[in-house]
Amino acid sequence: MIRMRDLSLLTDFYQLTMAQGYCVKGKTEEAVFDLFYRENPCDNGYAVFAGLEQVIEFVENLEFKEEDIEYLRTQGFKERFLDYLRDFKFTGDIYSVPEGSVVFPKEPLLKVEAPILQAQLLETPLLNFINHQALIATKAARITEAAQGKSVLEFGLRRAHGPDAGVYGARAAVIGGCSGTSNVLTGKKFGVKVSGTHAHSWVMSFESELEAFRTYADNFPDSAILLVDTYDTLKSGVPNAIKVFKEMKDKGIDSELFGIRLDSGDLAYLSKEARKMLDQAGLEDAVIVASNNLDEDIISSLNLQGAQIDLYGVGTKLITSYDCPAFGAVYKMSEYNDQPKIKLSDNIEKMTDPGNKKLIRIYDQRSGEIRADLIALKDEVISADRDLVLFDARDTWKTTTLKKGNYQLREMMKPIFKTGKLVYDSPQVAEIKEYAEKEKESLGAEYKRLTNPHIMKVDLSDKLYELKQKLIKENKIEK
Amino acid sequence: MIRMRDLSLLTDFYQLTMAQGYCVKGKTEEAVFDLFYRENPCDNGYAVFAGLEQVIEFVENLEFKEEDIEYLRTQGFKERFLDYLRDFKFTGDIYSVPEGSVVFPKEPLLKVEAPILQAQLLETPLLNFINHQALIATKAARITEAAQGKSVLEFGLRRAHGPDAGVYGARAAVIGGCSGTSNVLTGKKFGVKVSGTHAHSWVMSFESELEAFRTYADNFPDSAILLVDTYDTLKSGVPNAIKVFKEMKDKGIDSELFGIRLDSGDLAYLSKEARKMLDQAGLEDAVIVASNNLDEDIISSLNLQGAQIDLYGVGTKLITSYDCPAFGAVYKMSEYNDQPKIKLSDNIEKMTDPGNKKLIRIYDQRSGEIRADLIALKDEVISADRDLVLFDARDTWKTTTLKKGNYQLREMMKPIFKTGKLVYDSPQVAEIKEYAEKEKESLGAEYKRLTNPHIMKVDLSDKLYELKQKLIKENKIEK
């Protein structure tokens, strides 16, 4: 284990071959790159942006140590380029939407303005951080939406793709909506709530389930959640748990949190039966926690069946975003040496939006809900003191007019680095989580629906639309 | 970014609450835990074991620093337990199959024998390392199997679940069969081959595609792979690449590796057309690299269509194991205080195998192929000097008799730690990869088929079978 963590070589080899090419060719012109994604994961109506704090840490720490240089020399890189890397420091600007923002496909979320070599070198690590955390934050938003106000805990470390996937995945899960995590390192690093109870092995290490429960409750009277399915949930686990809870009450212990955890079998049936048994024993305040391969679909189904579950523990399906384990953010050049650039494609969806841009969010004045997003050129003045006509970038005949006074504007990207200097304070995870909750509140219910949600309108300004058409014409190759 | 990497708190909170319970209760008895999995990912016929080196590093570095203790104090842990943690050191034994081994469901792959508190504390991190790397190694084995001898490069860092998922995922991909990776940090840490070319942005930063190609080939004459789909693959990219390759030949440059990369469109059609164009230009030695959302199914289909592809670059679908992004290894107690233990379940597949066990592989004497695996109790003598009757653990009427002299035995798990001391040298990744290739060669073709492979027989010894039946009866609760 390399205990000193040096991530500067966390990149694709071609970023370095290109960088050497730019260096040797003396190409120092400024480029602008946009980070954006094309489709919401799991067909959700939106995504939750996350990972910016790790981007900042990476950029702040980006330097090539002698051992990195030495390694690159063995890979055939030229001395002139290695000399350049030895003194490397990021000197450009970075703009980004804040973590926890609700975002939509095709809009710029993060923008890098820097000499092309520098901007290019950030591509892979930035995508790595954002693709991971935006994925898990979005999945967590779906799962907590399904839980309809019940708490969801992240329990997936053992199935995460290595330590970082566990630690930063839990961070993103909390940003996306989870109340806490079982991951102790995430708790320590980010100050988020950690929780957990015991495993089957605890029960198996005692002569009897009853003794195991009693010992656990003695040790943790304020979070005595007993796992009841080691032998038989309703015949053994729940009766033994009830016995122990009654003993606690008899001893006058007023527990903050106590109850049972179901981890196998028919959770709808078992939770209803267990609820009855607990209630009949006068333990209305005992909670029922459920885990075992849960995701948003199973939680929705449990709700529909009237399952009596107070708290969900979600592991594999959240920490891997099981049914959609990649967030497809890409990083594309939109300007080079002050010239707007476009990447063409046979598929119009894959064409990029040229030019140095900004992202403006349009809110309905009365409801406070998001009405649409508008991508405009950086220097365009977009003001709310006139009627605003929105049109669909693809089906341009679809237009909507927003009357002056009925809408509000908000510029979404904030400066993070200016000429290489960090100008942004990353909020604590708890603040980001709170901001994300407000962001989700600003979305109409139809955009949060888990299946077939409304698609948020993401408009191009007239000027940007015209620029794009012009560049498509100029760059077109006859088929 | 915490640059000093301390992973000791990389665990589920409940491991620590249980540990405190064991500590306070004074439970110091030895326990045995097995790490095993229940189903092959992607319905493969086997899995490739990986991640042991990271397990070793974790155990070697496992200690609780003052800042960990301080954090746990804020979480309500007792001083007596914190004192214990302050002096914590792993003192037990660990046995494991070597990395790169071909393995099958339900057999013990790694075994921990230690005082229960210590053994329990290893659960989450060990599962995290193994679940991640065995998953990616197995997916890489499937993808390289589909490539039928053509090289496969791992290109997925930008879509990996954070830095570790990229770095260790690429390590596992190479163990599973990839020839190299684009991930520079993996190259540096593990000495594996790194490679890559250039992106669309390289082309877009030049006045013309031709100039971009020429500059790239000038800089990297020995790995001049030109990306030909920025504008139009067959009308612009391939003709420009041919022009540059001819210029190279005219200059007398004898390139080690040159060719084109296709990254969009119909790869079967484009590769065949490009091959014709290259051949007609006398560039039979130019290679064609293909990338763009490849996986084992698309590669198989490209092969069937006679696509002219020499080298595959595989990203998202490999580094996330997209269609099956979790490896379900679990860690279950099989013995406590010298008593064999079983975890019952309504589902017979989920019952554990009790007792301290070993894993023996049975090879066909003539072909050298794996015939079956046998799980036996640790102290059983299994020798090859008699006929061996294999029976199916579930369908016990299915038996096979192997005649003495027709089979060979091999004990799969090696000692890794003995009384806390490391007694095993982790091989280099290149050696592990070579071993994994041999392991795959010892599997019959029908086990390596991508769809509906044969299921390897994993037998229980008579003694283990009897023990299991006895414990099921003893622990059964009447329904």
Side-chain angles (χ1 to χ4, degrees), chain B residues 80-99:
Chain B
R80 180 168 158 198
F81 176 58
L82 297 177
D83 285 343
Y84 170 85
L85 285 185
R86 201 174 274 114
D87 300 325
F88 182 89
K89 193 157 173 20
F90 180 71
T91 63
D93 297 352
I94 299 181
Y95 299 83
S96 176
V97 304
E99 290 194 89

Side-chain angles (χ1 to χ4, degrees), chain A residues 372-393:
Chain A
D373 275 1
L374 177 68
I375 309 173
L377 291 169
K378 183 188 177 185
D379 297 328
E380 274 186 89
V381 179
I382 309 283
S383 91
D385 59 8
R386 57 179 181 87
D387 293 356
L388 187 67
V389 181
L390 299 174
F391 73 108
D392 190 288

Side-chain angles (χ1 to χ4, degrees), chain A residues 3 5 12 67 182 188, chain B residues 3 5 12 67 182 188:
Chain A
R3 295 185 74 94
R5 193 146 206 221
D12 289 307
E67 64 169 89
S182 65
K188 182 186 166 211
Chain B
R3 294 185 75 95
R5 196 147 204 220
D12 289 307
E67 64 169 90
S182 66
K188 182 184 166 214

